[in-house]
């Protein structure tokens, strides 16, 4: 049985890992772009969807435990 604490920890872990991953992608991508390496925008563009993908994968794992 899934409890409220499981859902809370899912939200916390998704937020932390998503923030770390997308923050690193943004930081490295913008650092490259400001130095004239425009390939850095390839890291900047998918940064926000990457954070959402991590939360979606974690929630799928929790949903698998319910059914």
């Amino acid at each position: 049985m899934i409890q409220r604490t499981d859902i809370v920890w899912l939200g916390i872990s998704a937020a932390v890992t998503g923030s770390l991953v997308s923050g690193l992608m943004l930081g490295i991508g913008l650092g490259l772009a400001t130095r004239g390496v425009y390939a850095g925008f390839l890291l900047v563009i998918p940064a926000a969807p990457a954070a959402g993908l991590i939360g979606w994968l974690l929630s799928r794992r929790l949903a698998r435990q319910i059914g």
Side-chain angles (χ1 to χ4, degrees), residues 25 28-30 32-34 36-46:
M25 288 175 71
I28 293 170
L30 287 176
L32 288 172
T34 56
V37 181
Y38 295 111
F41 286 118
L42 294 175
L43 288 174
V44 172
I45 293 169

Side-chain angles (χ1 to χ4, degrees), residues 2 7 10-11 24 30 35 43 46 48 54 56-58 65-66:
I2 301 298
I7 296 171
L10 169 74
L24 282 172
L30 287 176
R35 287 178 174 77
L43 288 174
I54 292 170
W56 180 68
L57 291 174
L58 288 172
Q65 291 177 1
I66 292 174

